[in-house]
Amino acid sequence: MTAAGATRPPLAVVVLAAGEGKRMNSRLHKVLHEAAGRPLLEHILRAVAPLNPTRTVVVVGYSGDEVRERFAGRGLTFVTQDFSTGYGTGHALRESAAALEGFTGNVLVLNGDGPLLTSATLLALVNTLGNESGMALLTCTTADPTGLGRIVRNGNGELSAIVEEKDATQAERALNEINPGVYLFDSDVFRRATLLRNDNAANEYYITDLPKAYLADGYPVRTLLADERELLGVNDRAQLATAERILRQRVTDHWLKAGVTMLDPNTTYIDDGVALGRDCVLEQGVVLRGSSRVGEGARIGAYSVLTDAAVPAGAVIPPHTVS
């Protein structure tokens, strides 16, 4: 843990977004699908922003040009994963090294389809490793670990391995502590990534083989147990709907605490980019989209739908208004 006032190493962020996303059954790249009015990738970038990363790299593959275009001018560095030289998360991490030449510091690795992570959790993970050499990762427990990598611990309760389900024994598959794919590595990670092998059931280079490598060399692998609700990955439309619901609830809770009245919060939909003044009133069924701004004390009538609107302080918007 980093002591109070201590300086952490510089931080780079690598977002893995090269997957094809077949289960979304969509022409649109998975990370461009929206939840609470923002693309999935946008939620991730907003979560890491308070950590002040020196560089942010997004690894793309299929339909990568769409992602580049949508996030042009954001100060991101894009790397296209070369599938002719391998597959897997470990291979994607290795590919990202080209965009971090000359960087010395810790590397935070996230998945592009995880929009529910909060800045507080990511900061806690960064502080878990602090100035130490080694690595750290988030874990969580779940009632249904099907398809996910299992966390294997030794007799002292320390992590000894991450085992992918395809390679797990029956006993390992019974474990319910899983690896959601959020890692913090020291600056030696890219050298280690070049040593990864793909002699496994999927013939992929696993990023999950890196903990064993660090442990074998005597370096710590710290773990931080996180809330399962923050670690949902969006792989299909049902999971997208779940992420939408959770994110919108967060937005609703924020504005209720900020002094906004909602006659029926369950039927009020507010995009993440909306700003509301204190003491404004939203009647039932109100939908506020995009970058709408509602001034202090304004009242929005029932079942109104406003997109990128500017509502002055004290204004009264009649019910069923669409603009």
Side-chain angles (χ1 to χ4, degrees):
M1 186 72 70
T2 303
T7 301
R8 294 193 306 267
L11 181 70
V13 173
V14 174
V15 182
L16 305 182
E20 194 169 358
K22 289 182 178 179
R23 282 181 282 172
M24 294 296 288
N25 192 20
S26 174
R27 292 190 179 95
L28 186 67
H29 193 291
K30 181 165 65 171
V31 302
L32 298 182
H33 282 267
E34 293 191 354
R38 297 185 188 276
L40 301 182
L41 179 57
E42 179 71 29
H43 288 288
I44 295 164
L45 297 177
R46 287 169 61 84
V48 302
L51 279 62
N52 298 313
T54 301
R55 302 187 200 178
T56 300
V57 179
V58 180
V59 181
V60 294
Y62 301 99
S63 303
D65 289 343
E66 296 177 13
V67 184
R68 292 174 186 266
E69 182 177 351
R70 174 63 178 79
F71 287 89
R74 297 289 298 275
L76 306 175
T77 302
F78 289 92
V79 172
T80 300
Q81 186 172 355
D82 181 2
F83 294 114
S84 69
T85 60
Y87 292 88
T89 52
H91 182 264
L93 174 63
R94 194 162 65 191
E95 296 274 276
S96 73
L100 292 172
E101 186 175 353
F103 173 79
T104 301
N106 290 347
V107 181
L108 178 65
V109 180
L110 311 168
N111 291 315
D113 60 3
L116 300 176
L117 278 167
T118 65
S119 301
T121 295
L122 293 176
L123 180 59
L125 179 63
V126 169
N127 286 338
T128 296
L129 187 61
N131 289 303
E132 286 185 290
S133 295
M135 65 169 287
L137 66 144
L138 294 182
T139 75
C140 71
T141 57
T142 181
D144 182 13
T146 303
L148 302 169
R150 309 305 203 273
I151 300 297
V152 180
R153 296 185 179 273
N154 61 24
N156 296 323
E158 300 167 330
L159 183 144
S160 59
I162 302 173
V163 180
E164 298 297 337
E165 185 169 80
K166 292 179 181 179
D167 302 295
T169 65
Q170 185 173 354
E172 289 167 341
R173 292 188 181 197
L175 299 172
N176 69 347
E177 185 180 12
I178 58 96
N179 166 45
V182 181
Y183 313 93
L184 183 74
F185 298 101
D186 66 16
S187 58
D188 195 34
V189 63
F190 293 114
R191 180 190 67 82
R192 294 179 181 280
T194 64
L195 303 177
L196 292 173
R197 299 169 60 89
N198 65 344
D199 50 352
N200 52 62
N203 293 317
E204 293 184 0
Y205 296 94
Y206 289 152
I207 199 172
T208 49
D209 286 338
L210 288 172
K212 278 188 176 181
Y214 275 97
L215 290 170
D217 290 339
Y219 292 103
V221 176
R222 309 293 185 196
T223 61
L224 179 65
L225 186 65
D227 188 331
E228 181 184 7
R229 291 171 294 182
E230 281 194 40
L231 298 167
L232 172 72
V234 175
N235 295 297
D236 55 34
R237 302 298 178 117
Q239 291 175 338
L240 179 64
T242 299
E244 171 88 13
R245 184 169 61 252
I246 293 171
L247 287 166
R248 287 199 181 278
Q249 187 62 55
R250 289 180 184 176
V251 172
T252 297
D253 291 346
H254 167 77
W255 289 117
L256 289 172
K257 291 175 182 177
V260 172
T261 294
M262 301 179 197
L263 299 190
D264 185 3
N266 291 329
T267 62
T268 303
Y269 292 84
I270 307 169
D271 277 358
D272 193 35
V274 169
L276 303 175
R278 187 174 57 179
D279 291 326
C280 69
V281 177
L282 308 181
E283 297 182 1
Q284 59 267 36
V286 167
V287 178
L288 299 176
R289 294 174 172 165
S291 58
S292 293
R293 299 290 184 268
V294 179
E296 186 170 335
R299 188 179 187 98
I300 311 297
Y303 306 107
S304 294
V305 180
L306 307 182
T307 303
D308 299 330
V311 179
V316 177
I317 305 299
H320 300 282
T321 297
V322 178
S323 71

